[in-house]
Amino acid sequence: MIPTSVSAAAVTGLRVLRPNPKPSTAYSYSETELATGDDLFKHHHNRRRRMSDLAKEVDVEALIAISVGFPVDSLTEEEIEANVVSQIGSVEQANYIVVRNHILARWRSNVTVWLTKDHALESIRAEHKNLVHSAYTFLLQHGYINFGVAPAIKEVKFKPPEGFSKGNVIVIGAGLSGLIAARQLISLGLKVVVLEGRARPGGRVRSKKMTGGQNGVAAAADLGGSVLTGINGNPLGVLARQLGVPLHKVRDICPLYLPNGRTVNSDIDSKVEASFNKLLDRVCKLRQAMLDEVKSVDVSLGTALEAFRHVYRVAEDPQEQMLLDWHLANLEYANASLMSNLSMAFWDQDDPYEMGGDHCFIPGGNERLIRALAEDIPIFYDRMVESVRYATDGVLVYAGRQEYQGDMVLCTVPLGVLKKGNIEFVPELPQRKKDAIDRLGFGLLNKVAILFPYDFWGGEIDTFGHLTEDPNMRGEFFLFYSYSSVSGGPLLIALVAGEAAVKFEKMSPLESVVRVLEILKGIFSPKGIAVPDPLQAVCTRWGQDQFSYGSYSYVAIGASGDDYDILAESVGDRVFFAGEATNKQYPATMHGAFLSGMREAAHILRVADRRVSPAEKSNTSSQENVSVVDKFFDTPDLKFGNFSVLYDPMSTDLESNCLIRVELHGEKSLHLYCLTSRRLVLELSKLEGDLSRTEMLTRDFGVKLVGWNNLSAAVGSLFTSIELARSV
C-alpha cells in the first residue's frame, strides 16, 4: 500500500508521495512534428552521423525540454513575447525549437559549468547563428540555463555588470522565490536589495537542527517544505547536483496501521484504494458534464465525493471507512485544506504540468539550498514591510521605520499575508487582483518533529500511516515520515492535516507530543517494540506565523487556475509578484516558488529594457508628467505670491505631504518644486514676500527646491493620488 496512488485526478505539490509518477515519455510526438536537426547540426568528415542517430539525439533533447516545462512543438507565451522567431508556426520556429532544446540539454548535462554562446555554436551550423543567439538569450534571461550555486556559475553571475544599472529593485521576502529572483536580477544588471521580516532566509522552507542525549544525537528536521516532488526537470535538483548533495528517493513502501496497532489487511487496502480512485473518476466525469452545461457552477470536492460514496455504497464497513478517511486525509494534506473547502471543478487544475520522476529528500535538510542561494545577496533581516507606495516614476517601501526607494518592487510574501492585508499598497491594488486574493485558498499543514535516542521503527521504510476511528480527526498524525536515512539521526515527523491541523494549533506542544507517543506505542508495543522517551520535540504553528498565516495555496470553491495568473500580474510595471501562489502550473511546491522568481526576474528585465534612456526620459515621459502637474497647478489648493501648493487629497493630517511649485521669472519662466508637510506650508503662507518664504523654506526648514526630475519617489504616490482624485 502506498500513500497516494490517486489515479483519477492525481495530486501534485510538495505534499504527496507519488509512487507511479507520470514519466516524461508519456508525452508522445512523432519525428515529423519536430525538425530532424539534420540541417542544423555540424557534421564531421571522418564520422558523419547517420540520420537516425541524430534524430534520436533530437528526441532525447526534446524530452529534456518537456521535463523542464516546454511544449512539444510550439512556443511558450514567454518565447512569443520575447520574439524569439520572426514568424509563428514557420520552419524557422521548428528549427528554433530544436536549437533551444539542444542548448538546454547541453547545459543540463553538466550544470556545474557556465555554458557560453560560443559553446552552443560549436555543434550548430554557422547559417543558424541567429537562432542560437535567440535561443541562448532567451534561456539565459529566463533562468533555464546557467543558474544556481556552482562556483563557475557564481563567478560569472556576480561580476559587476558593464555600463549603468538597468534599475533598482526592492525584493520583499527572502524565501525561495525572492532569493532566486534577487540572484537572477543581479546577474542581469539590476541593483537589488532584499527585505526580510524574519531573522533568517527561507520563508516557509525551514530546517531545524535537533539535538539531545548524552551521546549528542543530532538530526535536521524540515519543518516547512520538505519533499522534492518529481525530480525530472526540477531546478531544485539542479541546485543539489551543483552542491554535490546526493538525493534520497522516498521509497514507495508505506504500511498502514489500525488504531489497535495491527497492519491493515492488504486485500481490504487494495479494495478501498480502488474504490477511492473510482470515486475521483466519477467526480471528474460529473464536473466535466457540469462545466459543459453551466460554466459557473462549483461545489466542494468533499460534497461530491460524499454523495458518490453514498450512491455507490463505498466503504460501509468500519475498517473500510477508516481506510477511506485516510485517503481523504492524504488529499487534505495534498491541498492543505479541508475537503469541504476545495473546488470540485478546479482543485487539481495543475495536474497536467506535474514534474515526473522520483520524489526525494535532501540529506541534511532543504536549508542547505537556502544557505547557498542567500550567499552574497544583500538581505536586510527583521524588516517587516508595512507599506508599498508606487507611481509612474518609482516605488517607496516602508519597513521597520525605514524608507527604501527603487524603480520597481517584487513582492514575494505568501498569499496568507496578502489575505491579511498586512501590507498597505498605495494606490490600492486593482480590484481584479484583490478578488483573486480573496478567491484562492491558503491552507494549513502542521508537523511534529521528534528526535529519539535510536531508530525503533526500522530503517527500511520512509513512511508509515495511522488510521483513526474519528472521521473529524482523520488528519491527526495520519502519516509519519522517517528521516533517519537523511537527517543524520533517528527522527520522525508526524503530519497533521485537514480539520485536525486547525485544532492542533490550539493544543499545547506537550499535549501534541503525548498524543503522538500514544499512537506510536499503539503501533509498536503490540509487536514487542518499546517506544523510548524523545530527546527533543518541535511543533509547528504555521497558521499563527505572522509571516505566512498558513502553509500553501489551494483552489477554493469559486476559484480557478486563472486566479494564480491574476496574482502573478504586475501593477503599473512597478509592482511585481512571485511565490508559489502566483504559479498556475506548480502551485504549493518549492520548485513552483523557485520558478516564479525566475519568471519575474525575466519580466522585470523586459520592463527595464523597455524604459527609455535617462536622456530620453528627461525629454519625454518626465516632460509629460510635468505638463500634467502644471495643469493641476492651474487650480492649486493654496496659492500665495509665486508659491502654489497641491495637497494630498487622501489626508488632512498636518504632517501629510504637499507639493509646492515656485515660479521664478526671468527671460524664461522656471519652475522649481519641493515636497513638504501641510503644517510647514501653512507657516510659509503667513509670511510676506517670496524672498522671506524661500529663505524660511531652504534655511530654516532645510528643504531644497529642485527640478521635477530630482524630486524623490514619494512625489509619485502623491501625484497618483491627486490624479485619481481630480479624475473623479
Side-chain angles (χ1 to χ4, degrees):
M1 167 70 213
I2 306 158
T4 35
S5 51
V6 179
S7 64
V11 182
T12 61
L14 316 137
R15 22 344 149 182
V16 176
L17 297 174
R18 200 184 282 280
N20 299 304
K22 297 175 184 175
S24 298
T25 50
Y27 297 89
S28 61
Y29 58 91
S30 67
E31 290 182 5
T32 58
E33 288 180 298
L34 290 174
T36 62
D38 191 47
D39 59 340
L40 296 172
F41 295 101
K42 295 177 180 176
H43 300 290
H44 299 281
H45 298 296
N46 59 348
R47 52 186 182 89
R48 181 178 176 86
R49 292 193 239 177
R50 288 166 48 200
M51 173 92 172
S52 60
D53 293 336
L54 192 56
K56 287 178 183 177
E57 184 175 323
V58 171
D59 284 355
V60 170
E61 292 173 351
L63 289 176
I64 291 172
I66 290 166
S67 74
V68 173
F70 284 103
V72 175
D73 57 355
S74 60
L75 302 179
T76 64
E77 289 183 12
E78 290 176 324
E79 286 176 304
I80 294 171
E81 188 171 349
N83 295 316
V84 294
V85 295
S86 58
Q87 185 177 351
I88 304 298
S90 61
V91 173
E92 179 194 17
Q93 174 180 307
N95 287 336
Y96 163 86
I97 289 172
V98 173
V99 170
R100 176 201 69 197
N101 295 351
H102 176 70
I103 296 171
L104 180 64
R106 182 159 183 176
W107 184 72
R108 285 274 175 156
S109 69
N110 186 357
V111 296
T112 62
V113 302
W114 181 274
L115 179 68
T116 66
K117 195 184 301 181
D118 288 339
H119 289 149
L121 280 165
E122 287 175 356
S123 52
I124 306 293
R125 291 169 61 174
E127 57 262 39
H128 299 293
K129 184 176 181 179
N130 288 341
L131 286 178
V132 173
H133 172 78
S134 181
Y136 180 87
T137 301
F138 175 83
L139 292 171
L140 181 66
Q141 292 183 350
H142 288 74
Y144 289 104
I145 61 171
N146 295 341
F147 68 85
V149 293
I153 303 291
K154 291 195 291 184
E155 182 182 353
V156 177
K157 274 190 172 287
F158 282 87
K159 283 182 180 177
E162 297 179 3
F164 64 88
S165 168
K166 295 181 179 180
N168 301 313
V169 182
I170 301 166
V171 177
I172 303 174
L176 268 172
S177 59
L179 290 175
I180 194 58
R183 295 187 79 84
Q184 187 73 351
L185 287 166
I186 290 170
S187 73
L188 294 172
L190 291 99
K191 292 181 179 178
V192 175
V193 62
V194 181
L195 305 179
E196 169 56 51
R198 303 180 193 270
R200 61 169 180 83
R204 285 168 282 166
V205 177
R206 185 192 175 198
S207 304
K208 180 175 176 58
K209 184 177 181 181
M210 301 178 66
T211 58
Q214 294 180 345
N215 298 326
V217 178
D222 277 321
L223 302 179
S226 54
V227 184
L228 271 63
T229 49
I231 202 60
N232 293 350
N234 195 319
L236 301 182
V238 171
L239 299 186
R241 286 169 62 192
Q242 292 173 333
L243 292 171
V245 177
L247 297 176
H248 172 80
K249 175 190 173 183
V250 180
R251 288 166 285 192
D252 293 341
I253 304 168
C254 181
L256 296 182
Y257 297 102
L258 294 165
N260 61 12
R262 293 179 183 173
T263 305
V264 171
N265 178 278
S266 59
D267 292 335
I268 298 176
D269 188 357
S270 299
K271 174 187 173 184
V272 174
E273 184 180 2
S275 297
F276 175 67
N277 287 332
K278 285 181 181 177
L279 286 178
L280 286 174
D281 278 330
R282 290 185 172 111
V283 169
C284 288
K285 291 174 183 176
L286 170 66
R287 73 177 175 190
Q288 190 56 54
M290 289 175 64
L291 290 172
D292 288 343
E293 293 295 326
V294 187
K295 299 293 182 184
S296 60
V297 170
D298 197 6
V299 297
S300 79
L301 178 62
T303 298
L305 284 174
E306 184 63 16
F308 278 118
R309 188 184 76 80
H310 281 294
V311 169
Y312 292 97
R313 305 172 67 89
V314 173
E316 294 186 317
D317 174 82
Q319 184 172 327
E320 291 181 359
Q321 178 64 60
M322 284 191 289
L323 269 169
L324 182 63
D325 281 337
W326 189 90
H327 282 287
L328 294 174
N330 208 12
L331 211 53
E332 291 178 326
Y333 157 44
N335 294 276
S337 186
L338 282 68
M339 298 293 294
S340 57
N341 294 334
L342 294 176
S343 163
M344 183 194 72
F346 300 110
W347 70 277
D348 59 346
Q349 62 82 35
D350 57 324
D351 190 56
Y353 311 104
E354 69 171 23
M355 289 191 172
D358 296 326
H359 288 210
C360 299
F361 288 136
I362 293 182
N366 294 327
E367 209 160 284
R368 297 179 71 175
L369 304 184
I370 297 297
R371 285 196 301 268
L373 289 173
E375 188 179 340
D376 300 322
I377 300 294
I379 305 173
F380 292 89
Y381 295 106
D382 299 310
R383 298 292 197 279
M384 182 185 288
V385 171
E386 299 110 21
S387 177
V388 173
R389 296 173 181 265
Y390 60 99
T392 54
D393 58 349
V395 298
L396 285 173
V397 177
Y398 295 91
R401 297 182 180 179
Q402 288 184 285
E403 176 187 289
Y404 299 86
Q405 182 178 333
D407 297 304
M408 290 167 278
V409 60
L410 173 60
C411 181
T412 72
V413 301
L415 175 60
V417 174
L418 293 176
K419 281 180 170 290
K420 281 283 184 180
N422 286 4
I423 298 177
E424 176 194 33
F425 290 90
V426 181
E428 288 188 3
L429 295 176
Q431 192 62 44
R432 167 183 168 87
K433 187 178 285 286
K434 291 195 293 184
D435 289 344
I437 290 171
D438 289 340
R439 280 192 299 266
L440 276 176
F442 195 68
L444 187 60
L445 172 76
N446 276 310
K447 300 181 179 182
V448 176
I450 304 181
L451 181 67
F452 289 96
Y454 56 87
D455 177 352
F456 62 87
W457 56 91
E460 70 281 357
I461 59 173
D462 291 320
T463 57
F464 59 89
H466 169 258
L467 277 57
T468 182
E469 294 174 344
D470 183 358
N472 294 324
M473 295 301 288
R474 62 194 176 205
E476 184 188 41
F477 314 124
F478 79 102
L479 184 65
F480 288 79
Y481 276 114
S482 167
Y483 274 72
S484 294
S485 55
V486 293
S487 67
L491 178 73
L492 274 181
I493 292 184
L495 303 186
V496 197
E499 187 176 345
V502 179
K503 293 180 179 178
F504 173 82
E505 300 215 341
K506 299 174 184 177
M507 295 172 63
S508 72
L510 180 59
E511 282 181 276
S512 301
V513 173
V514 168
R515 176 68 183 131
V516 173
L517 293 176
E518 286 176 355
I519 291 172
L520 291 173
K521 289 174 182 177
I523 293 172
F524 293 100
S525 294
K527 300 174 178 58
I529 301 173
V531 176
D533 292 333
L535 300 176
Q536 188 184 0
V538 177
C539 300
T540 66
R541 295 284 188 274
W542 286 108
Q544 298 174 23
D545 188 314
Q546 64 178 328
F547 300 108
S548 64
Y549 294 108
S551 301
Y552 39 89
S553 63
Y554 65 90
V555 184
I557 302 169
S560 72
D562 292 340
D563 290 318
Y564 288 110
D565 286 339
I566 295 172
L567 246 65
E569 292 173 355
S570 62
V571 180
D573 279 349
R574 291 294 178 185
V575 185
F576 300 79
F577 293 85
E580 57 86 11
T582 71
N583 195 323
K584 179 179 181 178
Q585 287 78 19
Y586 309 107
T589 63
M590 292 185 290
H591 58 268
F594 183 100
L595 292 169
S596 75
M598 282 294 195
R599 178 199 69 218
E600 289 311 301
H603 188 180
I604 289 170
L605 176 67
R606 287 198 302 273
V607 171
D609 284 343
R610 283 203 304 263
R611 298 200 195 286
V612 292
S613 67
E616 290 172 317
K617 187 174 181 178
S618 63
N619 291 326
T620 54
S621 61
S622 292
Q623 295 258 339
E624 291 170 8
N625 285 340
V626 172
S627 65
V628 174
V629 169
D630 283 341
K631 285 183 180 179
F632 292 158
F633 275 113
D634 288 342
T635 54
D637 295 309
L638 184 64
K639 182 174 175 61
F640 41 90
N642 289 323
F643 281 64
S644 301
V645 182
L646 296 176
Y647 291 148
D648 183 349
M650 309 299 288
S651 175
T652 58
D653 193 294
L654 289 177
E655 298 305 320
S656 61
N657 272 340
C658 298
L659 179 61
I660 295 179
R661 187 188 72 179
V662 181
E663 188 171 359
L664 304 179
H665 296 289
E667 292 183 8
K668 187 178 180 182
S669 290
L670 175 66
H671 292 158
L672 294 178
Y673 304 85
C674 72
L675 280 174
T676 188
S677 69
R678 184 178 291 210
R679 178 175 56 81
L680 297 185
V681 165
L682 294 177
E683 290 189 34
L684 286 175
S685 67
K686 296 174 184 176
L687 295 178
E688 293 292 334
D690 287 340
L691 182 59
S692 299
R693 296 178 184 119
T694 304
E695 286 180 352
M696 174 180 275
L697 187 66
T698 57
R699 184 185 62 198
D700 299 343
F701 297 159
V703 176
K704 290 183 179 179
L705 288 165
V706 296
W708 176 260
N709 291 337
N710 293 320
L711 281 169
S712 75
V715 74
S717 57
L718 175 60
F719 175 68
T720 302
S721 297
I722 295 170
E723 194 171 27
L724 288 172
R726 297 208 175 191
S727 64
V728 176

